[in-house]
């Protein structure tokens, strides 16, 4: 099976993993870190970004479930150093802090 035969969600799932804030800081400085609400499926959001599914992404953004990481969020992550999950949907780095109790 070639990469083109692998479903997008499966490929993205294999590229998703834990990351520390120190590894994300340079991406935040470039303005490409996007926060994904813990209620959403990170892989599904990444797939929507890759597919350029603008209506779906805009709905999430309007609802505040997906947004560029703010300076306040960056400072919070820097102070707490939580476990974050990340996946690249170039040029974006989508990050998600697992829901409490997850």
């Amino acid at each position: 099976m070639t990469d083109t035969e692998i479903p997008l969600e499966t490929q993205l799932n294999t590229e998703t993993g834990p990351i520390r804030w120190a590894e994300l800081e340079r991406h935040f400085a470039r303005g490409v870190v996007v926060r994904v609400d813990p209620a959403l499926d990170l892989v599904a959001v990444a797939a929507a970004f890759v597919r350029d599914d603008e209506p779906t992404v805009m709905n999430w953004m309007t609802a505040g479930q997906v947004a560029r990481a703010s300076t306040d969020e960056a400072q919070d992550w820097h102070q707490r150093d939580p476990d974050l999950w990340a996946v690249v949907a170039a040029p974006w780095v989508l990050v998600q802090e697992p829901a409490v109790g997850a």
Side-chain angles (χ1 to χ4, degrees):
M1 184 177 275
T2 66
D3 285 349
T4 57
E5 296 172 0
I6 299 171
L8 177 60
E9 286 80 358
T10 301
Q11 181 179 348
L12 289 168
N13 193 46
T14 65
E15 297 170 358
T16 301
I19 192 165
R20 307 306 296 185
W21 175 247
E23 298 171 79
L24 281 172
E25 282 183 303
R26 65 186 172 99
H27 300 293
F28 177 77
R30 289 184 17 240
V32 298
V33 173
V34 174
R35 174 203 36 85
V36 176
D37 188 276
L40 297 177
D41 181 317
L42 181 61
V43 171
V45 174
F49 269 71
V50 170
R51 290 186 176 115
D52 199 23
D53 183 351
E54 186 176 346
T56 300
V57 172
M58 289 305 296
N59 283 338
W60 289 325
M61 292 179 84
T62 300
Q65 294 176 296
V66 173
R68 278 193 186 182
S70 69
T71 302
D72 289 342
E73 288 166 326
Q75 290 171 342
D76 177 57
W77 290 333
H78 178 78
Q79 290 174 351
R80 290 186 304 116
D81 196 24
D83 292 327
L84 298 170
W85 282 84
V87 62
V88 173
W92 309 105
V93 180
L94 305 173
V95 298
Q96 184 178 55
E97 187 170 353
V100 175

